[in-house]
Structures are given as C-alpha cells and as structure tokens.
Amino acid sequence: CQGLYTIGEHVDLPGLVVPAEKLEAPEIELDTALRKIVNVRACSTLHLSVTIRGRPEPEVKWSKEGGTLSERAQIEVTSSYTVLLIENVNRNDTGKYVLTAENCSGSKSAFINVRILDSPSAPTNLEVKDVKRDSVSISWEPPVIDGGAKISHYIVEKREEARKAFTSVCSNCVRNSYKIDNLQEGCFYYFRVLAVNEFGTGLPAETADAVKVSEVPLPPGKITLSDVTCNSVRLSWEKPDHDGGSKITCYTVEMQAKGEDTWTICSESKALEVTINGLTKGKEYFFRVSAVNEKGQSEPKSLLAPVTVKDTSAGPVINLLSNSFSVKAGNDFKIDVPFKAVPPPTVAWKREGTLLKETSRVNVNTSDTTSQIIIKDATKLDVGVYEVTLTNSVGTTSAEIFVNVFERPGPPSDLSVDEVSADFVNIGTKGRVEIAATKMHTSLLIRESVRKDSGQYTLTLQNTGGTTSKTITCKVLDRPGPPAGPLEVSGLSAEKCTLSWGPPHETGGAEIMYYIVEKCETSRVAWTLVYGDMMATTCKVTKLLKGNEYLFRVRAVNKYGEGETLESEPIKATDPFTIPSAPLDVEVTSATTEAMTICWKRPATDGGSRISGYIIEKREKQGVRWVRVNKKPVYDLRAKASGLHEGCEYEFRVFAENAAGLSEASLPCPLTLAEDPKFLPSPPAKLGDKCRSLACLLPIIVTHLLNI
C-alpha cells in the first residue's frame, strides 16, 4: 500500500478497511552489548535476543553471512522480539549473524558479530615446499578461525607411512614454515600442523599423500670419449656419487653444435654408455649427460672439450711384451695381449691351429685395449703354440705365443704294486687318474689336480709272502674351500645382527689370512661389502633397514686367492618384539570443573619389550579430534587431565608404548561431566546436645562480661 495513499487517508479494500496511519515500517533495536562483538565460550549457549517493531507484524529471518545457519539453531519470533539460541557452540559457529525484518511497509536488517572462544580450526594451504634426501620443508597459512584468541604457536608432527601414530617434530613453531631434518632417506612420510591458542590445540592440517624423502641425483661422474667415426660418437660415464635417495631411471644425453645456442636431447640410456649416430662429418659438438630419478633431472655433467666428428679408424696393433711363457704344472697362468684399434676389434684365440674353446678352466677376457687368456691348473696338455687374431673394419693382425708347462716329478719307489688307495677309498683308473706299474716301479698320475685331491695316499703291496703299505701326504696348493657352515645369524634386530661360521675344512694348503663378509638385499642383485679383512669367525653387521630381507655370505682368503663362498638363508630385519596390546579398563575416578583423574590397567601383553610409558588422549563430547593430555610419557597407571572446561563432557583413551612403538588405543572410558562433586548435607544435631553446649559456655560468657 505504501506509495499509493497519503497519511490520514482511509483505504477501502474489498471486505477490509485499514487506516493508513497505522502502517509502520519494521524497526530493529539492538542492545549495546549486541552492537559489539559477542564472545561466547565453546560448549556454552549462544543467546541473541533482539527487539523488533512494525505494522503489520514483520516477517523475521535469521541467516549467517558467508555460510549456512547451524542445524542446532533454535529461533523464536513474537510481535515484539525475536531470539536466536544455539546450544553447545563450537568454533564453526563464529561469524556474522544477519537479522532481517520485512513487511509491506519496508525491510530492515541488522547484523551481530559472534566470536566463539575455542581452540583454532586447522591451518590452511599446507604445502610441501622442498624435499631433500634427508629433509622436507613445509609451509602453511593461519587458520580461518582463530578461536577468538591470537595464535601463539604451531605444533609440527611427522608419521612414517608404515606407522599409525604421529610424533612431534617441533612443539613451539612461531613461523608459518618449518624444515624437518634427520629423515630416513628413501622413506615415505606424512606431515601435519596444528595451531595453538590460549584455549588449546586446534584441528590438524595433514598432507594428503605420503612424501618420499629423496631429491634429484648428483651429476654423473667423469665422461669419457670412447670412439669417434665419420658420423658417430661413443660416450661413456661413471655413476653419480649419490642417487638422491631414489633409483636412477635413465641418463639423458644432450648435444650442441659449436656456434649454436640450444641443447638437443640425442639419447636417453639406462646403461653407462651410448653411441650417438647421424652426426655431420667435420663438425664440432659439445656433449653433456644428466642423471634422472623419480624426483627429476640432475645438473648436467659436460665433456670437457668439443668433439670433432672425423674418421679416426685404425687397424689393430699388438703390443706384446713377450711371446714365450713357462709355467709349473698345477699352477694358474695368464697371458695379456695389449693392443690399439679403432673401432675395437673382434678377438679370436687358437691353440695349435684349432679354435680355443672356453671351459671352467680356460677363460678369455677382452676389453677395448687388451685381451687376456687365463688357464687354471696348468698341465702338459696346455703346452703348444697359441695364436691371437684381431680384426676390425680397417684390417687384421695376429701374434703367436709359445707356452711350456714343466711337470712336477713324483716320489721314487722300488716296490711293485697290486693296489693303490687314497683316504682309504679305492682309486680307479678312469678320467683324470692314471696308474702305471711295472715289476720294479709304480706311479699315480692325477691330471688337472684340484683342491679336493689333497689328502693321504696309501700304497699297499701284497703277494704270497705278505702285505706292506706306505702313506704319502699330498697337499694341493689352491684357494680355500668354503667356510664351515652353516652361516648362523643371531642377535637379530631391525638394525643389526651377528654372523658366525667355522674355518674351511679345505685350506688350500696355506694359512687362512682373513675373511670377506658381504650382504645383499633379496630385492637387489648387487652384493655390498661389510668387512674386507675380518680376522675372526664372527662379526656384527649394522645399518640394516627394518623390514628388508637380507642374504649374507662369507669367503676365506689365503695367499693363493679368495675361496668359495658360504651363504646364509634369507633373513628379515625385524625386532624380536612387537607393540604391546592396548591398556585395559580406562575410567575416570574423580572429576572437578577443571580437572579429572584417569586410571587404567596394564596391557594383557607387553609385546616382548618392557612398557616404557603411557600416552593419554581426551576428546570432548561434540569434538572429532583426540587431543594429547600428557607431553611426556606417564609411567604410573593413572594421570591427571587439567585445563578442562566446566560443563563439558569428556572421554579418555590410553596408549601403551615400548621399544617397538605405540599400541592400539584402549577403549574410551564413558563420558564424564566436568563439575565439582556434590555432597548431601549432614543431619542436624540433637537439641539436647545444643543445650548442653550452651550450658558449658554460659559461665565463660558471664566471667567475660564481669571483667568488662
């Protein structure tokens, strides 16, 4: 009706006559207290009562700016006032509440700022800024809701992916960033941050994904130019000194033509060498190599000088120092043939015109600059002319080498023989063994002698006149056999163990100088040296990684070389104990408005390790997060939780801790109200007793009055 009629004029509507002077626009009257910020303690009741006027009676609406009104809100509206009531408020009820009154004469709005005094909400925008091989840097922004008090500091915590409980890294961080050091290289971690104000510790902000503690690798080692042709280059390089805590996935090779500004990726190789083809003859190129792991690419390592692409082919040239070799029977010998050739040649060895075949006794090793033949336990069969032939795209060359083997003489004897035995076991005349006998002489020949041929050989002669024997001790000089097993693993924990073994039964005819001890993770191929000169037959192995499975092996060394290995069974690096079971029967034995006493019973099992303490946590009835009560572990079976809010209900749970870590949480105790205990009044004293008391006091009172 507003705007259509003037004040004082009667308005005729069908069936209704309304005096225009009785129309009144809505008005909202805020008390002085409501014009300021309204502070309410958490768990208390928010009560906003506002006087309103207007004709006709205005329609009232409550809302919350920037959010929705809590489902717990109760609204009461009358013709003269309206009330907004929210019980058991929390930090999320902080904000600006808008009251709107509207009728046909207009609309009126007012707002009331409400601040809930509580612990803060979670910090925002938690980010991992930098990851190194043993540290992680994180940053965050202050909570949206500070709980009505200044944020005094932050708590920074970490948790290994395999563990359930967080551990404190810094309990008094005053900045919005923190660097977490001393992390285990290659492990995965979660991080979280909690804000603290005068009302307590707030909700946590946690990293969504586990963070692997690693970084980009160091640059590769020395780069070597192996070969150059008219259109290609072959490069090789050494591994980086450190892989950054993550496996090297490949190497990126880049090139840059002299005079140009850009680098071009020309190869990605998993090996430590690469051949780059398609280059322009006569042009100069720069090359550099970078290592790559899951964290990224290392700084590049450059070849010191540019490479000119040209034909550098050359035929093979043999630089043989001597073409004649002599060796005693049973000894090992090797022949080294150094050479030069571009490109590297193919190598072929012959003996007496026949291609030499590699066996367990005969081995050929060839590199880009040398070819080596190794023959173990030389015999007369190895005598002859050896020929080595080198061939590449430019030409062919060869050289002859003469080898002579001197046989060791056997012991003389003037006995005729019918039977020969060794170690009380009959020796046959097959394979490597030859027995020759005449009326005046006998001989035993064992070709290609090995370590197991050592022992006592007994020659027995027998005829119709009787029997006689003679014992000969034979010692084959060789590398030792394997140490006496088994290789026992004792004192096993998650980080160390002790190995023990026995001396070899076969020493190779020489004193055992020391032992070589190695370890290997079953998930890897390479063995790692633990001790290279262990004198004893027992040793301690440290720096094992918890949960990894290991193999160990030991071999003896004498003056003839390293012997055969003795290997252990797979062993998993774990502690001989586990986490304890949860504490039992948690209960609140006494309560006041500010504190409660909590008691519990020991866990049913300590997991094989002594209980080192207990951790207590509390949670409010309407809360979601559990908050730690004690900063240091409690050694008794009870603890006092202070700093509680009067009228709030709390529940508590307890963890037990031993060397393996924290147990599962106990069952929480029933909710307990923070209030002082109430006592019934004592009964009144009997009237007769009071009279007798007065009778006793009467003489004293009279005396006192007389003195006055």
Side-chain angles (χ1 to χ4, degrees), residues 6-11 18-24 55:
T6 59
I7 296 176
E9 182 180 357
H10 283 79
V11 180
V18 180
E21 66 272 9
K22 292 189 177 181
L23 294 177
E24 183 181 348
R55 292 182 183 177

Side-chain angles (χ1 to χ4, degrees), residues 23 65 111 164 234 241 248 257 288 424 442 539 595 657 684:
L23 294 177
E65 188 176 276
F111 63 86
K164 295 182 179 180
R234 186 169 66 175
D241 290 337
I248 301 292
R288 67 185 187 185
F424 308 102
T442 184
C539 68
E657 186 175 17

